[in-house]
Amino acid sequence: MIRHVIAAIATLLAIWAVVFMMELDRKAERFKQIQEIIEKTKEVPMQVSTPSLSQQATEQMEETKAKEAEDEAAKKLKTLKERAGSAMAFKVSPLYKQKCSSCHGVNGEGIIGPKLIGKSEAEVYDALMGFKSGKRKNYVMYGLLSKMSDENIEALSKEIGTFKEKLDASKE
Ligand code: HEC
């Protein structure tokens, strides 16, 4: 009788053990699933939020950059228009444009350097030769003219001597 009871208990224990193991397995499985879900939720917002944040930042930066570029372009256009406005009066030689216009203006209207419009060819020539020889002291003009050929100085003098006429003609 006792043997039967022991055998029965043993069987029950064995069954319980099996069930317990199965239960553990199930729990372990569920735990794994939960862990996976946790992992995923960790990954998802990280992956989604990080790029979206940086994307936003880049977009904002690009927006500001674009605006700055726009402003810059607008400014450049304005100065270009202003220059074109005064440049449109009449055409000048490449030599004048390259060497003299930055200081005396595209049409000799004067910027840093004095206004040249209205000066006669002789006046300009005398001034330039004076600068070149050092008789008339000006560091900037001397630096510019010391290496310039007399032919170019003559040509420039002749050209500048016509500025007034050309300007008047452009206004008609
Ligand atoms: C970097 C600026 C600068 C450039 C470039 C320049 N000049 Fe001048 N120029 C001056 C300044 C400043 C004076 C005034 C100097 C003075 O009166 O002593 C002047 C004076 C003159 C004068 C005398 C004007 C007067 O009222 O007596 C003439 C003419 C002249 N420049 C022609 C030219 C020519 C032509 C060029 C191109 C080859 C040229 N300049 C390039 C700055 C410049």
Side-chain angles (χ1 to χ4, degrees):
M1 181 62 191
I2 283 173
R3 265 201 225 153
H4 283 122
V5 171
I6 289 169
I9 288 169
T11 316
L12 275 173
L13 269 174
I15 291 167
W16 177 80
V18 169
V19 170
F20 183 76
M21 294 297 271
M22 273 165 65
E23 183 67 19
L24 262 185
D25 239 27
R26 230 173 43 127
K27 273 186 184 159
E29 191 64 31
R30 217 194 252 169
F31 183 70
K32 234 171 86 183
Q33 276 176 356
I34 289 167
Q35 217 172 12
E36 266 169 30
I37 290 165
I38 289 169
E39 286 297 312
K40 267 185 202 157
T41 46
K42 259 191 212 158
E43 272 169 25
V44 170
M46 290 281 275
Q47 268 180 358
V48 169
S49 74
T50 327
S52 83
L53 265 181
S54 57
Q55 234 174 355
Q56 265 182 355
T58 358
E59 268 168 28
Q60 260 175 3
M61 258 168 64
E62 265 161 27
E63 230 172 87
T64 1
K65 264 191 203 163
K67 257 187 202 161
E68 272 168 19
E70 234 173 75
D71 287 351
E72 193 74 11
K75 258 189 219 161
K76 272 186 189 163
L77 197 68
K78 212 180 141 199
T79 40
L80 270 177
K81 269 185 186 165
E82 276 168 9
R83 277 192 204 163
S86 43
M88 265 194 304
F90 57 87
K91 267 191 134 182
V92 295
S93 66
L95 185 65
Y96 176 84
K97 196 174 176 186
Q98 197 189 333
K99 300 270 184 188
C100 323
S101 67
S102 53
C103 292
H104 289 283
V106 278
N107 285 153
E109 68 274 22
I111 308 172
I112 306 162
K115 181 179 169 185
L116 298 177
I117 301 167
K119 290 197 182 302
S120 70
E121 178 185 344
E123 274 177 301
V124 176
Y125 184 78
D126 284 349
L128 294 183
M129 290 314 266
F131 286 128
K132 189 181 176 180
S133 67
K135 231 192 277 169
R136 188 171 166 183
K137 299 240 178 304
N138 183 269
Y139 187 73
V140 176
M141 291 303 297
Y142 173 76
L144 262 163
L145 297 171
S146 59
K147 283 176 212 146
M148 192 175 279
S149 69
D150 285 0
E151 291 84 68
N152 274 345
I153 290 179
E154 272 169 40
L156 279 169
S157 305
K158 204 173 227 167
E159 184 186 359
I160 293 166
T162 66
F163 275 7
K164 176 91 173 74
E165 214 177 292
K166 283 179 182 163
L167 187 68
D168 290 345
S170 78
K171 280 176 183 164
E172 275 161 18

